[in-house]
Amino acid sequence: MSTVHASDLTADQRAIAEATRAFADEHLAPHAVAWDRDEHFPVDVLRKAADVGLAGVYVREDVGGSELSRLDGVVAFEALATGCPSIAAYLSIHNMVGWMVDRYGTEAQRARWLPALCTAEQLGSYCLTEPGAGSDAAALTTRAVRAGDQWVLDGVKQFISGAGTSQVYVVMARTGGPGPGGVSAFLVDRDDRGLSFGPNEHKMGWNAQPTRQVLLDGVRLPADRLLGAEGEGFRIAMAGLNGGRLGIAACSLGGAQSALERAVAHLADREAFGARLLHAQALQFRLADMATELEAARALVWRAATALDRGDRRAPQLCAMAKRHATDTGFEVANQALQLHGGYGYLAEYGIEKIVRDLRVHQILEGTNEIMRVIVARGLTGAA
């Protein structure tokens, strides 16, 4: 993996990349095609990932987290995604949930929820999108009404990764008037009465993780389940997404890096017209362009991660740029790798078509790439 030897990473970051790539090579890559085929969610492997610190990446150490930087994290998630983008992307979402609880939770909430999230004994899901509120997330209609010392939640969340298996759900619900200022965040447990789930969605990719509706029918929560202050939920959700976008961007880089490596190996093995395909200059140029585009996307992801670590005021725009560019580039590189495999690229057993399918959804989730352009444009124009 090219990032392992990058001179602008520290020795610790290179070690993170190498160790995570080794984990992906051993525990993810050999099983990725079968997990996709069988729609199997390998919770046992997620717990093995937790054993090497990948389930509490950004969480402080006092509750079992790894307390790594965002740059450390994107290096790790890229390496992990070389084995299976679907599993790496789910872990990115799980880590987004953990970070939100760590950053905005009370000490009591941190102590209750985070140790089990960091060991992956319990998994986490992020619940913002609704059937009628995707890109316009501030228009969500799930409601939370105060009833004495409790909150009562009603609504439906759509496209929730890990739903049904996850134990912890960070749910955005409307506690006030219309718009972002009326949204609050809540911690919902899978065992809370009134919580249920729709059927597992049949998807183009990401088949190694479940995607289901989360149904809230009069779910009663004690007052201490409010995460952050009332009315802060949308701000909390958007702050979580800044990091989540970097995670998904990194997973696109990792999936595409694996596809590129496979394409090089395939061309080295194949002959046509009496010569190895890898010696054909036209194909070498194609590989060179793929590697160049990936490296450029990687640089932008690292730049955005560093900005987020430093609290740069442009970090939200840079995260949006990085997510848009890296997910578009990752999909295109993987698609080119499929083409370079010829007919073999279209066969499931080679694993390339799975990478293409997995990376396609990265251009949609954590904010569509059209919404990423809106965020960048607002930063340029000063529009609200």
Side-chain angles (χ1 to χ4, degrees):
M1 179 178 174
S2 60
T3 53
V4 170
H5 304 293
S7 59
D8 43 357
L9 292 181
T10 67
D12 285 347
Q13 287 163 342
R14 289 195 295 273
I16 288 169
E18 290 167 357
T20 310
R21 179 64 189 259
F23 180 91
D25 288 346
E26 179 179 358
H27 296 289
L28 301 187
H31 312 291
V33 169
W35 291 340
D36 175 77
R37 180 193 64 222
D38 299 337
E39 298 188 2
H40 174 66
F41 190 34
V43 174
D44 58 328
V45 177
L46 296 177
R47 290 177 178 151
K48 290 179 182 176
D51 290 340
V52 294
L54 293 173
V57 173
Y58 310 115
V59 173
R60 282 171 279 177
E61 292 179 346
D62 65 316
V63 287
S66 300
E67 202 167 341
L68 299 182
S69 70
R70 292 293 179 178
L71 182 54
D72 298 335
V74 297
V75 168
F77 283 116
E78 176 178 351
L80 193 67
T82 61
C84 178
S86 176
I87 294 304
Y90 171 74
L91 265 178
S92 173
I93 295 167
H94 171 87
N95 275 280
M96 178 169 63
V97 170
W99 177 84
M100 292 167 74
V101 177
D102 191 49
R103 173 66 179 81
Y104 296 102
T106 64
E107 287 305 310
Q109 287 172 332
R110 293 180 67 245
R112 174 177 177 180
W113 302 96
L114 289 173
L117 287 173
C118 290
T119 62
E121 176 188 341
Q122 296 183 355
L123 301 178
S125 291
Y126 175 86
C127 303
L128 176 63
T129 300
E130 298 181 359
S135 294
D136 186 9
L140 62 85
T141 59
T142 295
R143 293 207 61 86
V145 177
R146 191 68 185 253
D149 61 352
Q150 294 183 320
W151 291 95
V152 182
L153 275 61
D154 289 280
V156 178
K157 296 296 181 179
Q158 183 77 32
F159 304 130
I160 306 305
S161 296
T165 303
S166 292
Q167 191 74 29
V168 183
Y169 299 82
V170 175
V171 175
M172 309 305 158
R174 189 163 301 285
T175 54
V183 176
S184 299
F186 294 88
L187 289 162
V188 179
D189 189 279
R190 186 178 61 190
D191 298 329
D192 289 327
R193 290 184 61 184
L195 184 70
S196 61
F197 307 96
N200 193 17
E201 304 285 3
H202 296 291
K203 309 182 294 290
M204 175 180 175
W206 268 28
N207 292 319
Q209 56 167 293
T211 302
R212 302 169 69 176
Q213 285 187 330
V214 173
L215 311 172
L216 302 117
D217 182 11
V219 177
R220 288 185 171 270
L221 304 178
D224 66 3
R225 298 287 195 87
L226 180 68
L227 181 64
E230 185 176 345
E232 283 189 339
F234 192 76
R235 183 173 66 84
I236 292 171
M238 294 302 105
L241 282 176
N242 286 331
R245 287 164 182 159
L246 291 179
I248 292 301
C251 290
S252 287
L253 296 177
Q257 180 68 37
S258 176
L260 175 58
E261 292 170 5
R262 293 172 191 226
V264 172
H266 180 75
L267 295 178
D269 285 342
R270 296 284 293 175
E271 289 189 2
F273 307 106
R276 288 194 181 279
L277 290 178
L278 192 62
H279 296 158
Q281 190 175 64
L283 300 184
Q284 291 177 352
F285 282 6
R286 181 90 65 93
L287 293 171
D289 285 346
M290 292 160 68
T292 300
E293 293 303 315
L294 261 186
E295 199 63 47
R298 184 176 292 120
L300 182 54
V301 172
W302 290 4
R303 164 83 173 90
T306 300
L308 195 57
D309 282 329
R310 293 176 177 171
D312 189 320
R313 63 181 180 81
R314 291 191 63 223
Q317 285 75 39
L318 289 166
C319 290
M321 289 178 184
K323 191 269 180 182
R324 199 285 299 166
H325 185 62
T327 58
D328 283 350
T329 298
F331 176 75
E332 181 58 28
V333 167
N335 196 40
Q336 290 287 339
L338 189 155
Q339 186 71 19
L340 290 172
H341 275 73
Y344 294 101
Y346 208 65
L347 300 181
E349 67 187 272
Y350 281 75
I352 293 290
E353 60 87 31
K354 174 199 178 298
I355 295 173
V356 173
R357 289 186 288 106
D358 281 349
L359 296 194
R360 181 60 183 87
V361 75
H362 293 193
Q363 296 169 292
I364 297 172
L365 54 86
E366 310 288 44
T368 66
N369 284 1
E370 289 73 24
I371 293 298
M372 297 307 97
R373 292 177 171 90
V374 170
I375 293 169
V376 174
R378 285 174 177 172
L380 290 171
T381 64

